[in-house]
Amino acid sequence: MPELPEVETIARGLARELIDAEVLAVELAYPPIVRTDQATFLARMPGRRFVSVRRRGKLLLLDLDDGSILAVHLRMTGRLFLPPSTLGREDELCEFHRPWQDKHTHARLLLSDGRFLVYHDVRKFGGLALFETAAELNAWPFMAGLGPEPLEIPEAVFVERFRRSRGRIKSLLLDQKRIAGIGNIYADESLFRAGILPDAQADTLSKKRLAALHGHVQDVLQEAIAACGSSIRDYRDADGDAGSFQNKFQVYGRAGGACLRCKAVLAKATVAGRTSVYCPICQKR
DNA sequence: GTGGCCCTGTGA
DNA sequence: TCACAGGGCCAC
């Protein structure tokens, strides 16, 4: 579900609300949602305090006071958030704020101040993983394989990284080993802005066009972060609130509609196994 | 490369 | 009933 801007929004919200909070107890309604050893998770989480919250690609990293790290990947429908304190007035809350009554709430951490940190995931693709040390986290193949951050990679490095890669440009943008954090929405939006078709071969694109793509990727991601992400169906931030960047989509979800630039009918095709929407006029190979 | 799989829900 | 959904991995 969430891509870099949504995960960044959640990380910022959690950092605001979770730093110094202590875990009192852990409840696992669906134990397999913990992808590392469950007994270790249950034994080590109580008594821990959160010291910082970070993001790497689409991965949330919650640093704990004993040097261990709780990594959370939301995949398609995961949500990690703090319902407002609700003792005695549960009925006033909308469904997104009372997930502890929901069959898709798989884990809850009770905090010593009475709040809960909730992990909710309809499709169960996501999960929690506890690493004892930073070294252990960094040795995790998924973590070790992540490419550079799109908002940090210099233009020249981006251009070279894609210019000498064989394959379709959209496949490469979605490849977390090549660049970490871009998903289906922001790949399509960036390619539209850059005027590049999703199935263009990366190694045939000029340095100038790849440099433009680098700029558009950064612009789209930054604008989306400023809008607190995009909410299509499931995504909510750490407070259970929706983002607003879905109102700014130029192509994603708009197949059959008019191109906002040239009025042509936006087309749809499958690239890298994902639905891609593009303008057949404005975007070129 | 592609297609299937992990899951469940939703809308055509 | 079927197609499809912000992801990632695995076998062809």
Side-chain angles (χ1 to χ4, degrees):
Chain A
M1 133 183 131
E3 308 180 28
L4 186 154
E6 291 74 36
V7 178
E8 178 68 25
T9 301
I10 294 168
R12 290 180 184 182
L14 291 177
R16 206 162 48 231
E17 306 218 29
L18 216 49
I19 304 301
D20 292 335
E22 181 185 355
V23 177
L24 205 58
V26 178
E27 296 172 6
L28 295 180
Y30 179 72
I33 209 69
V34 173
R35 309 295 176 173
T36 48
D37 185 76
Q38 290 150 21
T40 304
F41 184 89
L42 290 168
R44 294 202 56 158
M45 287 303 297
R48 297 281 63 77
R49 282 178 187 278
F50 295 97
V51 299
S52 60
V53 183
R54 299 176 283 145
R55 177 194 61 72
R56 176 76 175 93
K58 301 174 190 171
L59 191 65
L60 277 167
L61 298 172
L62 288 72
D63 297 295
L64 304 170
D65 60 353
D66 64 348
S68 61
I69 298 141
L70 177 60
V72 181
H73 202 305
L74 305 169
R75 294 284 186 106
M76 294 287 266
T77 54
R79 296 166 47 203
L80 183 67
F81 68 105
L82 290 140
S85 187
T86 56
L87 285 177
R89 50 181 196 85
E90 286 82 355
D91 293 344
E92 298 171 25
L93 300 168
C94 76
E95 60 167 312
F96 287 113
H97 284 124
R98 47 179 160 80
W100 53 93
Q101 303 175 356
D102 188 309
K103 62 179 176 178
H104 302 303
T105 288
H106 306 308
R108 293 199 304 174
L109 305 188
L110 172 62
L111 307 179
S112 57
D113 58 16
R115 294 181 299 165
F116 282 101
L117 178 62
V118 171
Y119 184 77
H120 180 279
D121 193 342
V122 170
R123 295 176 75 179
K124 297 180 186 159
F125 288 174
L128 291 66
L130 182 63
F131 297 94
E132 310 263 336
T133 63
E136 197 179 305
L137 169 69
N138 292 331
W140 179 30
F142 178 80
M143 184 74 181
L146 288 176
E149 286 288 324
L151 292 174
E152 293 171 11
I153 186 173
E155 180 186 289
V157 178
F158 179 97
V159 169
E160 283 311 303
R161 207 173 172 84
F162 285 85
R163 203 172 66 92
R164 49 185 178 72
S165 300
R166 296 185 61 81
R168 297 164 168 173
I169 187 68
K170 177 160 174 181
S171 305
L172 302 180
L173 286 173
L174 293 178
D175 179 359
Q176 304 298 299
K177 292 183 165 66
R178 199 165 309 269
I179 190 162
I182 300 170
N184 204 31
I185 291 177
Y186 300 107
D188 276 9
E189 293 297 317
S190 301
L191 288 168
F192 172 75
R193 293 190 186 197
I196 298 172
L197 284 169
D199 69 348
Q201 289 295 131
D203 58 2
T204 66
L205 295 170
S206 67
K207 290 184 182 181
K208 186 178 172 185
R209 294 179 79 202
L210 285 170
L213 178 59
H214 171 265
H216 288 298
V217 164
Q218 294 198 337
D219 288 350
V220 165
L221 294 176
Q222 270 162 352
E223 288 169 31
I225 290 170
C228 297
S230 306
S231 296
I232 312 296
R233 275 168 290 272
D234 302 279
Y235 165 70
R236 294 296 182 279
D237 70 12
D239 299 318
D241 296 326
S244 67
F245 194 73
Q246 66 277 10
N247 301 316
K248 304 281 184 60
F249 290 166
Q250 300 186 66
V251 286
Y252 181 85
R254 296 194 61 244
C259 172
L260 298 176
R261 192 178 291 160
C262 77
K263 310 296 184 204
V265 177
L266 295 176
K268 181 165 73 169
T270 299
V271 177
R274 315 294 301 280
T275 296
S276 305
V277 183
Y278 58 94
C279 175
I281 306 298
C282 296
Q283 291 172 253
K284 318 263 186 218
R285 286 190 188 78

Short mmCIF file of all heavy atoms in Angstrom, two decimals, chain A residues 28-31 33 79 95 98-108 118-124, chain B residues 7-10:
data_model
loop_
_atom_site.label_atom_id
_atom_site.label_comp_id
_atom_site.label_asym_id
_atom_site.label_seq_id
_atom_site.Cartn_x
_atom_site.Cartn_y
_atom_site.Cartn_z
N LEU A 28 -0.68 -10.37 20.60
CA LEU A 28 -0.64 -10.82 19.21
C LEU A 28 -1.89 -11.63 18.91
O LEU A 28 -2.02 -12.78 19.30
CB LEU A 28 0.61 -11.69 18.96
CG LEU A 28 1.96 -11.00 19.10
CD1 LEU A 28 3.08 -12.00 18.82
CD2 LEU A 28 2.05 -9.81 18.16
N ALA A 29 -2.83 -10.99 18.20
CA ALA A 29 -4.05 -11.70 17.82
C ALA A 29 -3.75 -12.69 16.70
O ALA A 29 -4.43 -13.70 16.55
CB ALA A 29 -5.12 -10.70 17.39
N TYR A 30 -2.74 -12.38 15.90
CA TYR A 30 -2.32 -13.22 14.78
C TYR A 30 -0.80 -13.31 14.83
O TYR A 30 -0.10 -12.53 14.18
CB TYR A 30 -2.82 -12.61 13.46
CG TYR A 30 -2.44 -13.39 12.23
CD1 TYR A 30 -3.04 -14.61 11.93
CD2 TYR A 30 -1.47 -12.89 11.36
CE1 TYR A 30 -2.68 -15.31 10.80
CE2 TYR A 30 -1.12 -13.59 10.21
CZ TYR A 30 -1.72 -14.80 9.94
OH TYR A 30 -1.37 -15.49 8.82
N PRO A 31 -0.27 -14.23 15.62
CA PRO A 31 1.19 -14.27 15.88
C PRO A 31 2.06 -14.30 14.63
O PRO A 31 3.14 -13.69 14.65
CB PRO A 31 1.34 -15.54 16.72
CG PRO A 31 0.02 -15.69 17.41
CD PRO A 31 -1.02 -15.22 16.43
N ILE A 33 2.09 -12.58 12.22
CA ILE A 33 2.36 -11.24 11.70
C ILE A 33 3.74 -10.77 12.16
O ILE A 33 4.34 -9.88 11.57
CB ILE A 33 1.26 -10.24 12.13
CG1 ILE A 33 1.10 -9.12 11.10
CG2 ILE A 33 1.53 -9.65 13.50
CD1 ILE A 33 0.52 -9.54 9.78
N ARG A 79 -1.32 -0.95 8.43
CA ARG A 79 -1.44 0.36 9.09
C ARG A 79 -0.83 0.25 10.47
O ARG A 79 -1.10 -0.71 11.20
CB ARG A 79 -2.91 0.77 9.22
CG ARG A 79 -3.62 0.99 7.90
CD ARG A 79 -5.12 1.05 8.09
NE ARG A 79 -5.49 1.92 9.20
CZ ARG A 79 -6.62 1.85 9.88
NH1 ARG A 79 -7.51 0.94 9.57
NH2 ARG A 79 -6.87 2.68 10.86
N GLU A 95 -14.71 3.77 12.34
CA GLU A 95 -14.11 2.44 12.31
C GLU A 95 -12.59 2.47 12.32
O GLU A 95 -11.97 1.58 12.89
CB GLU A 95 -14.59 1.67 11.08
CG GLU A 95 -14.21 2.38 9.79
CD GLU A 95 -14.39 1.50 8.57
OE1 GLU A 95 -13.93 0.36 8.61
OE2 GLU A 95 -14.97 1.98 7.59
N ARG A 98 -11.24 2.52 15.93
CA ARG A 98 -11.47 1.46 16.90
C ARG A 98 -11.15 0.07 16.32
O ARG A 98 -11.98 -0.83 16.31
CB ARG A 98 -12.90 1.50 17.45
CG ARG A 98 -13.98 1.65 16.43
CD ARG A 98 -15.35 1.65 17.11
NE ARG A 98 -16.36 2.24 16.28
CZ ARG A 98 -16.97 1.61 15.27
NH1 ARG A 98 -16.68 0.36 15.00
NH2 ARG A 98 -17.88 2.24 14.56
N PRO A 99 -9.96 -0.07 15.80
CA PRO A 99 -9.60 -1.32 15.16
C PRO A 99 -9.39 -2.46 16.15
O PRO A 99 -9.26 -3.59 15.73
CB PRO A 99 -8.31 -0.98 14.44
CG PRO A 99 -7.73 0.09 15.27
CD PRO A 99 -8.88 0.88 15.79
N TRP A 100 -9.36 -2.16 17.43
CA TRP A 100 -9.19 -3.28 18.37
C TRP A 100 -10.44 -4.15 18.41
O TRP A 100 -10.46 -5.22 18.97
CB TRP A 100 -8.86 -2.78 19.79
CG TRP A 100 -9.83 -1.77 20.29
CD1 TRP A 100 -10.93 -2.00 21.04
CD2 TRP A 100 -9.76 -0.38 20.08
NE1 TRP A 100 -11.57 -0.84 21.29
CE2 TRP A 100 -10.88 0.18 20.73
CE3 TRP A 100 -8.87 0.47 19.42
CZ2 TRP A 100 -11.13 1.55 20.71
CZ3 TRP A 100 -9.13 1.82 19.41
CH2 TRP A 100 -10.25 2.34 20.06
N GLN A 101 -11.53 -3.68 17.77
CA GLN A 101 -12.72 -4.51 17.64
C GLN A 101 -12.74 -5.18 16.27
O GLN A 101 -13.71 -5.80 15.90
CB GLN A 101 -13.99 -3.66 17.76
CG GLN A 101 -14.08 -2.88 19.05
CD GLN A 101 -15.29 -1.95 19.08
OE1 GLN A 101 -16.01 -1.83 18.11
NE2 GLN A 101 -15.49 -1.29 20.20
N ASP A 102 -11.64 -5.02 15.55
CA ASP A 102 -11.62 -5.41 14.14
C ASP A 102 -10.81 -6.69 13.99
O ASP A 102 -9.74 -6.83 14.56
CB ASP A 102 -10.97 -4.27 13.35
CG ASP A 102 -11.05 -4.47 11.87
OD1 ASP A 102 -10.67 -5.56 11.40
OD2 ASP A 102 -11.47 -3.54 11.18
N LYS A 103 -11.31 -7.61 13.18
CA LYS A 103 -10.61 -8.89 13.00
C LYS A 103 -9.28 -8.73 12.29
O LYS A 103 -8.49 -9.67 12.26
CB LYS A 103 -11.51 -9.86 12.23
CG LYS A 103 -11.86 -9.40 10.84
CD LYS A 103 -12.72 -10.44 10.13
CE LYS A 103 -13.17 -9.93 8.77
NZ LYS A 103 -13.96 -10.94 8.04
N HIS A 104 -9.01 -7.55 11.72
CA HIS A 104 -7.75 -7.37 11.01
C HIS A 104 -6.67 -6.71 11.87
O HIS A 104 -5.60 -6.39 11.38
CB HIS A 104 -7.97 -6.57 9.73
CG HIS A 104 -8.94 -7.22 8.80
ND1 HIS A 104 -8.76 -8.50 8.33
CD2 HIS A 104 -10.11 -6.80 8.29
CE1 HIS A 104 -9.79 -8.83 7.55
NE2 HIS A 104 -10.62 -7.81 7.51
N THR A 105 -6.98 -6.46 13.13
CA THR A 105 -5.94 -6.00 14.05
C THR A 105 -5.15 -7.21 14.53
O THR A 105 -5.70 -8.09 15.19
CB THR A 105 -6.56 -5.27 15.25
OG1 THR A 105 -7.06 -4.00 14.79
CG2 THR A 105 -5.52 -5.02 16.33
N HIS A 106 -3.87 -7.25 14.17
CA HIS A 106 -3.08 -8.45 14.44
C HIS A 106 -2.14 -8.29 15.61
O HIS A 106 -1.71 -9.28 16.20
CB HIS A 106 -2.29 -8.82 13.18
CG HIS A 106 -3.17 -8.97 11.98
ND1 HIS A 106 -4.29 -9.76 11.97
CD2 HIS A 106 -3.12 -8.38 10.75
CE1 HIS A 106 -4.88 -9.68 10.78
NE2 HIS A 106 -4.20 -8.85 10.02
N ALA A 107 -1.78 -7.06 15.95
CA ALA A 107 -0.87 -6.84 17.07
C ALA A 107 -1.20 -5.51 17.74
O ALA A 107 -1.57 -4.54 17.07
CB ALA A 107 0.58 -6.84 16.60
N ARG A 108 -1.08 -5.51 19.06
CA ARG A 108 -1.25 -4.26 19.81
C ARG A 108 -0.14 -4.19 20.85
O ARG A 108 0.11 -5.15 21.56
CB ARG A 108 -2.60 -4.22 20.53
CG ARG A 108 -3.78 -4.16 19.62
CD ARG A 108 -5.01 -3.66 20.35
NE ARG A 108 -5.35 -4.47 21.52
CZ ARG A 108 -6.34 -4.13 22.37
NH1 ARG A 108 -7.04 -3.04 22.18
NH2 ARG A 108 -6.61 -4.90 23.39
N VAL A 118 -1.09 0.15 17.39
CA VAL A 118 -1.85 -0.91 16.74
C VAL A 118 -1.25 -1.26 15.37
O VAL A 118 -0.92 -0.36 14.58
CB VAL A 118 -3.31 -0.43 16.54
CG1 VAL A 118 -4.09 -1.41 15.66
CG2 VAL A 118 -4.00 -0.25 17.89
N TYR A 119 -1.11 -2.55 15.09
CA TYR A 119 -0.80 -2.99 13.73
C TYR A 119 -2.02 -3.68 13.15
O TYR A 119 -2.51 -4.67 13.70
CB TYR A 119 0.42 -3.93 13.67
CG TYR A 119 0.74 -4.25 12.23
CD1 TYR A 119 1.40 -3.31 11.45
CD2 TYR A 119 0.32 -5.43 11.64
CE1 TYR A 119 1.64 -3.56 10.10
CE2 TYR A 119 0.56 -5.68 10.30
CZ TYR A 119 1.22 -4.74 9.54
OH TYR A 119 1.45 -4.97 8.21
N HIS A 120 -2.51 -3.15 12.02
CA HIS A 120 -3.74 -3.58 11.39
C HIS A 120 -3.41 -3.86 9.93
O HIS A 120 -2.71 -3.08 9.29
CB HIS A 120 -4.75 -2.43 11.52
CG HIS A 120 -6.11 -2.67 10.93
ND1 HIS A 120 -6.39 -2.55 9.59
CD2 HIS A 120 -7.28 -3.01 11.54
CE1 HIS A 120 -7.69 -2.80 9.40
NE2 HIS A 120 -8.25 -3.07 10.56
N ASP A 121 -3.89 -4.99 9.39
CA ASP A 121 -3.49 -5.34 8.02
C ASP A 121 -4.49 -6.32 7.41
O ASP A 121 -4.47 -7.51 7.71
CB ASP A 121 -2.08 -5.98 8.05
CG ASP A 121 -1.47 -6.08 6.67
OD1 ASP A 121 -2.20 -6.00 5.66
OD2 ASP A 121 -0.23 -6.24 6.60
N VAL A 122 -5.37 -5.81 6.55
CA VAL A 122 -6.42 -6.64 5.96
C VAL A 122 -5.82 -7.84 5.22
O VAL A 122 -6.28 -8.97 5.38
CB VAL A 122 -7.31 -5.81 5.02
CG1 VAL A 122 -8.24 -6.72 4.22
CG2 VAL A 122 -8.13 -4.80 5.83
N ARG A 123 -4.82 -7.60 4.40
CA ARG A 123 -4.32 -8.69 3.56
C ARG A 123 -3.18 -9.47 4.18
O ARG A 123 -2.72 -10.45 3.59
CB ARG A 123 -3.93 -8.12 2.18
CG ARG A 123 -5.16 -7.60 1.44
CD ARG A 123 -4.80 -6.93 0.13
NE ARG A 123 -4.46 -7.89 -0.90
CZ ARG A 123 -4.14 -7.55 -2.14
NH1 ARG A 123 -4.10 -6.28 -2.50
NH2 ARG A 123 -3.85 -8.46 -3.03
N LYS A 124 -2.68 -9.02 5.32
CA LYS A 124 -1.62 -9.76 6.05
C LYS A 124 -0.33 -9.91 5.23
O LYS A 124 0.42 -10.86 5.45
CB LYS A 124 -2.11 -11.15 6.47
CG LYS A 124 -3.26 -11.14 7.44
CD LYS A 124 -3.65 -12.58 7.78
CE LYS A 124 -4.89 -12.65 8.63
NZ LYS A 124 -5.55 -13.97 8.54
P DC B 7 -1.49 -17.08 3.24
OP1 DC B 7 -1.04 -17.42 4.60
OP2 DC B 7 -2.31 -18.01 2.45
"O5'" DC B 7 -2.22 -15.69 3.31
"C5'" DC B 7 -3.61 -15.67 3.24
"C4'" DC B 7 -4.06 -14.24 3.22
"O4'" DC B 7 -3.52 -13.57 2.07
"C3'" DC B 7 -5.56 -14.10 3.09
"O3'" DC B 7 -6.07 -14.00 4.40
"C2'" DC B 7 -5.77 -12.82 2.32
"C1'" DC B 7 -4.43 -12.57 1.65
N1 DC B 7 -4.48 -12.59 0.17
C2 DC B 7 -4.72 -11.39 -0.51
O2 DC B 7 -4.90 -10.37 0.16
N3 DC B 7 -4.74 -11.39 -1.86
C4 DC B 7 -4.54 -12.53 -2.53
N4 DC B 7 -4.56 -12.48 -3.86
C5 DC B 7 -4.30 -13.76 -1.86
C6 DC B 7 -4.29 -13.76 -0.53
P DT B 8 -7.58 -14.34 4.67
OP1 DT B 8 -7.72 -14.51 6.12
OP2 DT B 8 -8.02 -15.38 3.73
"O5'" DT B 8 -8.31 -12.99 4.25
"C5'" DT B 8 -8.00 -11.77 4.86
"C4'" DT B 8 -8.66 -10.65 4.09
"O4'" DT B 8 -8.09 -10.56 2.77
"C3'" DT B 8 -10.16 -10.84 3.89
"O3'" DT B 8 -10.81 -9.85 4.65
"C2'" DT B 8 -10.39 -10.69 2.39
"C1'" DT B 8 -9.08 -10.09 1.89
N1 DT B 8 -8.69 -10.48 0.52
C2 DT B 8 -8.42 -9.50 -0.40
O2 DT B 8 -8.50 -8.30 -0.13
N3 DT B 8 -8.05 -9.95 -1.64
C4 DT B 8 -7.92 -11.26 -2.04
O4 DT B 8 -7.57 -11.54 -3.18
C5 DT B 8 -8.22 -12.25 -1.02
C7 DT B 8 -8.10 -13.70 -1.34
C6 DT B 8 -8.58 -11.82 0.19
P DG B 9 -12.37 -9.66 4.62
OP1 DG B 9 -12.75 -9.11 5.92
OP2 DG B 9 -12.99 -10.89 4.08
"O5'" DG B 9 -12.51 -8.50 3.54
"C5'" DG B 9 -11.68 -7.35 3.68
"C4'" DG B 9 -11.97 -6.38 2.56
"O4'" DG B 9 -11.37 -6.84 1.33
"C3'" DG B 9 -13.46 -6.17 2.27
"O3'" DG B 9 -13.67 -4.79 2.15
"C2'" DG B 9 -13.68 -6.91 0.95
"C1'" DG B 9 -12.31 -6.80 0.29
N9 DG B 9 -11.99 -7.89 -0.62
C8 DG B 9 -12.11 -9.23 -0.40
N7 DG B 9 -11.71 -9.97 -1.40
C5 DG B 9 -11.29 -9.04 -2.35
C6 DG B 9 -10.76 -9.24 -3.64
O6 DG B 9 -10.53 -10.31 -4.23
N1 DG B 9 -10.47 -8.04 -4.26
C2 DG B 9 -10.68 -6.80 -3.71
N2 DG B 9 -10.35 -5.75 -4.46
N3 DG B 9 -11.17 -6.59 -2.50
C4 DG B 9 -11.46 -7.76 -1.88
P DT B 10 -15.14 -4.20 2.07
OP1 DT B 10 -15.15 -3.09 3.04
OP2 DT B 10 -16.14 -5.29 2.13
"O5'" DT B 10 -15.18 -3.58 0.60
"C5'" DT B 10 -14.01 -2.96 0.09
"C4'" DT B 10 -14.18 -2.74 -1.39
"O4'" DT B 10 -13.76 -3.93 -2.11
"C3'" DT B 10 -15.62 -2.46 -1.82
"O3'" DT B 10 -15.62 -1.34 -2.67
"C2'" DT B 10 -16.03 -3.73 -2.57
"C1'" DT B 10 -14.70 -4.20 -3.13
N1 DT B 10 -14.58 -5.64 -3.42
C2 DT B 10 -13.97 -6.03 -4.60
O2 DT B 10 -13.54 -5.22 -5.41
N3 DT B 10 -13.88 -7.38 -4.79
C4 DT B 10 -14.33 -8.38 -3.93
O4 DT B 10 -14.18 -9.56 -4.21
C5 DT B 10 -14.96 -7.90 -2.72
C7 DT B 10 -15.48 -8.90 -1.73
C6 DT B 10 -15.05 -6.57 -2.52
#
